[in-house]
Amino acid sequence: MTTERGTRRRAPAGAAVLREDVTDAIRAAVFEELAAVGFARMSIEGIARRAGVGKTAVYRRWKSKLALVLDLVAAVASQGMPAPATGSLYGDVRAVLELAAYALRHPVASQVIPDLLVEAARNPEISEAIKAALLDQQQGVAAVVVREAVARGELPEGSDPDRALDLIVGPLYWRLVVVRSELPKGYLDDLAASAVAALRNG
């Protein structure tokens, strides 16, 4: 006869459960560390110290700082940017600009994105991750905006979503990431109107 004690199974040795709150703290620390020192100078030790955990906790989840950053970029990409549904081309373009401006002006993102783009020029893995996080999802949003505008008769058939994305986000990215200057009052309204006019003129 088998007793309850005899049938109870023990967890395999080394099968530690990874606490989600610790994982979240490490991911937050990566953002802060990237903003503070950049990818080249970032270290597992610095991340662990900022997260308030030991290095072992980091290495249980990621084998290197590159793996950690790639995972973080993938996590951001998976959240995606919602496609707007305002009912007009101008409204959709203005909504895209509002979301993009908010993201690019975030104090951490404004430091992290330029640094990762520099690293992407040297590292194909980072380049692919950045492409998935920044370009692929925005191309998807632009495709929805163009498709809906065509269906409403606001844009001609065959309008190019990639061109739309360049016209909508390109000037904003230049201003906030490259030039790094503040946006004047009414800038997003004017940019939205200019982008819509350019799209309609083909």
Side-chain angles (χ1 to χ4, degrees):
M1 181 174 178
T2 305
T3 64
E4 182 182 355
R5 181 185 297 272
T7 58
R8 187 176 300 157
R9 292 185 177 182
R10 298 178 61 184
V17 177
L18 299 180
R19 288 172 45 189
E20 194 62 33
D21 60 328
V22 173
T23 302
D24 291 342
I26 294 171
R27 283 181 169 142
V30 175
F31 269 122
E32 294 170 5
E33 193 75 358
L34 277 170
V37 303
F39 179 82
R41 294 175 56 201
M42 186 179 76
S43 66
I44 296 296
E45 291 82 359
I47 293 166
R49 184 168 53 250
R50 195 179 287 272
V53 300
K55 287 192 299 181
T56 304
V58 181
Y59 281 118
R60 280 199 195 106
R61 293 161 172 82
W62 300 278
K63 63 182 180 180
S64 66
K65 71 174 185 178
L66 175 59
L68 208 169
V69 169
L70 293 177
D71 176 71
L72 189 65
V73 171
V76 171
S78 68
Q79 296 175 6
M81 177 187 289
T86 65
S88 73
L89 177 58
Y90 174 84
D92 286 353
V93 169
R94 181 64 177 75
V96 168
L97 286 170
E98 187 72 36
L99 285 171
Y102 175 80
L104 292 173
R105 283 188 291 192
H106 188 282
V108 174
S110 65
Q111 297 297 322
V112 169
I113 291 174
D115 184 64
L116 285 182
L117 289 175
V118 170
E119 294 299 328
R122 307 172 183 148
N123 190 312
E125 288 183 275
I126 294 180
S127 178
E128 285 301 313
I130 292 295
K131 180 178 180 294
L134 297 181
L135 179 59
D136 291 354
Q137 64 164 281
Q138 291 187 10
Q139 283 178 324
V141 171
V144 172
V145 169
V146 169
R147 184 177 68 240
E148 294 300 315
V150 169
R152 290 190 299 263
E154 293 184 89
L155 288 179
E157 290 284 350
S159 293
D160 184 2
D162 287 342
R163 178 173 179 271
L165 185 61
D166 291 344
L167 289 170
I168 296 168
V169 183
L172 183 65
Y173 181 86
W174 173 264
R175 185 113 191 188
L176 292 178
V177 178
V178 180
V179 179
R180 301 177 73 84
S181 65
E182 289 296 319
L183 301 183
K185 184 177 180 180
Y187 178 82
L188 295 183
D189 296 329
D190 293 342
L191 182 55
S194 296
V196 168
L199 288 170
R200 284 176 173 162
N201 292 332

